[in-house]
Amino acid sequence: MRHQAFIVGLLAGTATILPAHADMTFNRIATFPVAENLPAGAPATSETSSEIIASSEDGRTLVYSDSPLGGVGFIDISDPRNPKPGSMLELEGEPTSVTVVSDKAIAAVNTSKSYTSPSGHLVVIDMATRAATASCDLSGQPDSIAASPDGRLLAVAIENERDEDLNDGVIPQLPAGDLKIFDLTEGSPDCESMKTVSLNGLSEIAAEDPEPEFADFNESGEIVVTLQENNHIVVVSANSGEVTGHFPAGQVTLENIDTLDDGAINFDQTVRDLKREPDAVKWLDNDRFVTANEGDYEGGSRGFTIFSRSGDVLYDSGNELEFRAAAVGHYPDKRSDAKGTEPEGLEVATFGDQRYIFVALERASLVAVYRDTGGQPEFVQVLPSGIGPEGLVAIPERNLLVTANEADLVEDGGARSHVMVYRLGNGKPVYPTIESALDGNGVPFGWGALSGLVADAGKPGILYAVSDSFYASQPAIFTIDATERPARIIAKTIVTRDSQPAQKLDLEGIALDGEGGFWLASEGRTDRLTPHALLRVDAAGEITEEIALPSELLAVEKRFGMEGVTVVGEGDDRMIVAAIQREWADDPKGQVKLLSYRPASAEWAAVRYPLDQTDKGWVGLSEITAHDGKLYIVERDNQIGSAAKIKKLYSVSLHGFHPAALDADLPLVEKTLVRDLLPDMRAATNGYVVDKVEGFAIDAEGTAFFVTDNDGVDDSSGETIFVNLGKLEATN
């Protein structure tokens, strides 16, 4: 396929993509949690979100819509590497979009009391005083707004959205939506100038109920409008309000995609006649525009399309965005049966002499960057974003791109909504830190949720990782070439039982068995019928031996079990050592077990390990590695962002490591801090700190590496941080 062949050139590293501009890339320089903009007196756990975002004319202030909080927020980016909270202006209703013209911000606000009685208005905000100064009634529920390039006109897409619980959300559901056009004077709309453009009777689907989603102006005074649920696109003269063209967004057939939410990534399915159902739309010039084909209730083609203004398809990305996401570990398998990566937001901007297309992938938490060539766009890179990127704004005069990421998981103790700032400059992309090569069919290895790491005994820079139970139907061992930058996954070996993918595993640790195979630690959960076990597999991944935890341990079992495994000693003295993540029922508070198992005698024993203390959440172990007379142990809390305090690497000397029988008093080992990993995590990609440092290994030359677990991009930004630490020295 054309898209497969195209991605080969990217990942195989055979040639630069655009020789003349190969060294100009975007890299993230800052993140800003919008919870820092909460009004005085608001609980710190208040839900807040950044959705649609715009910038002041000087590019030094950001303004974003915050639907759950019911307001518009401001961020000071005078120093883009150090964004500062501006303020929050609370509004009466739900802001759906915002733009800036001159010294005014204009917000569209939904005030509907029901789906059948939609209402809304525009609010004009003085950017200097941050105060609302005027409003215009819209006689309907607004979705998006856009200003003309010359600042003379404003377009508002009045969606009058449907009730998704009524008749399974199928349209028509009146009242119909329409398009409003206002004259602007010094950034303020003239309410009396409002023109209503009827979009009825145009689409093939529910022609009596158009639901406009997004609008954009070109420099010729035309507005392009997407009718997402109607799978239709309309072009309107901004001056006259006349419809000058319209056409269906069309359908596509997608081959080599994953359509099953089954705990495995397999790009071997086909979907035919899939409606594009575009969301965002942006003009590329006066004759072409690009759509992000998010999809709604019947479609979503998982890509973006470039149309001529008359409706000709000039380019369609097909399955390419699915492959781009999978290559960097951001493919959202739980959305395979829905809309995959779900392209939703767009930005188009010219930096220097290069015009870029930025496509926000809501479910992959990525922004795909392309260079507009006038023909087939050229892929540049992917950018890591927060969870659920929706709004984007480019500030070319400052070489900046900004994304607004809407998801706020505060109720679950997860990541907050973030605004992220990127800068275009010389050099290579910092992200990804690890990516997949291609299999024999030209498809990236599906990967994610890396939860354990071990180094090859003889080949410097060659590592092996396992994925956890997020991919329960496809447990795997990944071979990583860490001599490459980014590190590259060069092979994927499925763990099998009787030649079939093994079930009921949660792989959390991996160690060499000294005979060409591996020992794996599977973290059990008896309440889910997943056994705690040590597994021995051969080089092909077939399980050759399964060792259950002894009854003495299962009697005191709690949920958090083995989170790492390593091998100590040789011959009859060989021990398999596993780290239990958190306290079990017989452990003193603040102490966890390091288990040992001797294959020669089948004897189990243990020591206790002292955990650091924390004021928030919990602390546990997530990896263990034996090297040069020491056990290296990763200890972490379960916190993210600024709340993260403990991501540390400790060592325990093997000279005093003497596990006792399980029914005896277990000795307490002493630990030595080797490295605080928090600075490494912050510096890696300038993102917020993720919670799960899950893999650590030291290679044949003594170089240390760690990797994080991205939870399969489920309620996660999807970022995997892979770091080369160099040679290690203890800090005390």
Side-chain angles (χ1 to χ4, degrees), residues 37-42 66 68-74 87-93 95 109 123 125 130-132:
N37 249 349
L38 284 169
D66 188 331
L69 201 62
V72 169
F74 298 86
S87 60
M88 173 62 64
L89 175 63
E90 296 181 81
L91 302 172
E92 294 183 5
V109 182
V123 176
I125 303 163
R130 314 281 168 86

Side-chain angles (χ1 to χ4, degrees), residues 236-543:
V236 176
S237 168
N239 290 319
S240 69
E242 295 180 2
V243 173
T244 59
H246 68 93
F247 48 87
Q251 301 174 338
V252 299
T253 291
L254 292 178
E255 298 178 344
N256 296 333
I257 64 170
D258 189 343
T259 64
L260 303 176
D261 173 13
D262 59 355
I265 300 177
N266 292 307
F267 293 115
D268 57 6
Q269 288 100 49
T270 297
V271 178
R272 301 189 183 280
D273 301 325
L274 187 63
K275 296 181 180 70
R276 286 191 173 94
E277 293 186 344
D279 186 331
V281 61
K282 288 283 186 178
W283 289 95
L284 291 168
D285 51 40
N286 290 333
D287 299 310
R288 300 175 302 137
F289 52 80
V290 57
T291 62
N293 306 323
E294 177 199 24
D296 202 273
Y297 65 103
E298 289 187 348
S301 63
R302 308 187 181 207
F304 67 97
T305 304
I306 297 176
F307 291 92
S308 72
R309 66 176 305 284
S310 58
D312 297 322
V313 174
L314 304 178
Y315 171 81
D316 190 278
S317 65
N319 63 8
E320 184 177 312
L321 293 179
E322 304 286 281
F323 283 9
R324 297 289 181 191
V328 297
H330 279 251
Y331 180 76
D333 184 58
K334 281 197 172 181
R335 300 292 298 177
S336 290
D337 60 343
K339 294 171 284 186
T341 56
E342 207 163 312
E344 181 177 16
L346 282 172
E347 176 65 305
V348 171
T350 300
F351 290 74
D353 61 353
Q354 295 295 304
R355 194 159 184 81
Y356 291 92
I357 303 169
F358 304 93
V359 187
L361 310 182
E362 181 181 13
R363 300 296 180 171
S365 294
L366 282 177
V367 175
V369 184
Y370 288 80
R371 189 175 289 109
D372 178 27
T373 66
Q376 176 173 309
E378 294 179 340
F379 176 77
V380 178
Q381 63 185 121
V382 292
L383 298 172
S385 201
I387 304 175
E390 181 170 353
L392 307 93
V393 61
I395 311 173
E397 60 273 19
R398 301 189 71 195
N399 284 331
L400 300 178
L401 172 75
V402 180
T403 65
N405 305 278
E406 64 178 332
D408 187 345
L409 306 180
V410 62
E411 288 189 4
D412 300 322
R416 306 302 303 264
S417 171
H418 279 73
V419 167
M420 298 194 172
V421 184
Y422 310 81
R423 173 170 279 161
L424 177 66
N426 293 319
K428 296 180 179 180
V430 170
Y431 197 85
T433 57
I434 181 171
E435 67 180 11
S436 168
L438 304 174
D439 66 16
N441 296 315
V443 177
F445 299 114
W447 67 276
L450 301 182
S451 55
L453 201 62
V454 70
D456 189 272
K459 299 176 183 177
I462 300 299
L463 312 174
Y464 307 95
V466 288
S467 54
D468 67 21
S469 60
F470 186 87
Y471 302 103
S473 298
Q474 201 179 59
I477 299 169
F478 299 93
T479 304
I480 300 170
D481 183 353
T483 66
E484 298 275 352
R485 185 171 180 181
R488 183 163 305 199
I489 295 173
I490 57 175
K492 178 179 181 178
T493 303
I494 305 300
V495 176
T496 57
R497 185 184 285 115
D498 298 326
S499 300
Q500 297 298 315
Q503 303 300 297
K504 294 295 182 180
L505 299 182
D506 182 8
L507 302 181
E508 297 287 351
I510 180 170
L512 305 180
D513 72 352
E515 298 179 19
F518 302 93
W519 286 100
L520 308 178
S522 181
E523 182 182 27
R525 282 195 66 171
T526 300
D527 61 335
R528 295 184 180 177
L529 302 180
T530 300
H532 300 270
L534 291 175
L535 310 171
R536 194 173 188 178
V537 302
D538 62 21
E542 178 72 11
I543 296 173

Side-chain angles (χ1 to χ4, degrees), residues 11-46:
L11 294 178
T14 56
T16 55
I17 296 172
L18 189 68
H21 299 274
D23 292 332
M24 295 294 290
T25 57
F26 291 88
N27 280 308
R28 185 169 51 195
I29 60 173
T31 66
F32 177 82
V34 297
E36 291 188 11
N37 249 349
L38 284 169
T45 55
S46 299

Side-chain angles (χ1 to χ4, degrees), residues 93-111:
E94 173 199 5
T96 61
S97 187
V98 65
T99 191
V100 174
V101 182
S102 185
D103 59 352
K104 303 292 193 302
I106 307 171
V109 182
N110 175 18
T111 58

Side-chain angles (χ1 to χ4, degrees), residues 192-215:
E192 299 300 320
S193 72
M194 184 178 76
K195 290 193 289 280
T196 298
V197 180
S198 173
L199 304 174
N200 284 22
L202 303 179
S203 62
E204 297 175 357
I205 299 171
E208 70 273 37
D209 183 23
E211 296 199 8
E213 190 80 18
F214 207 96

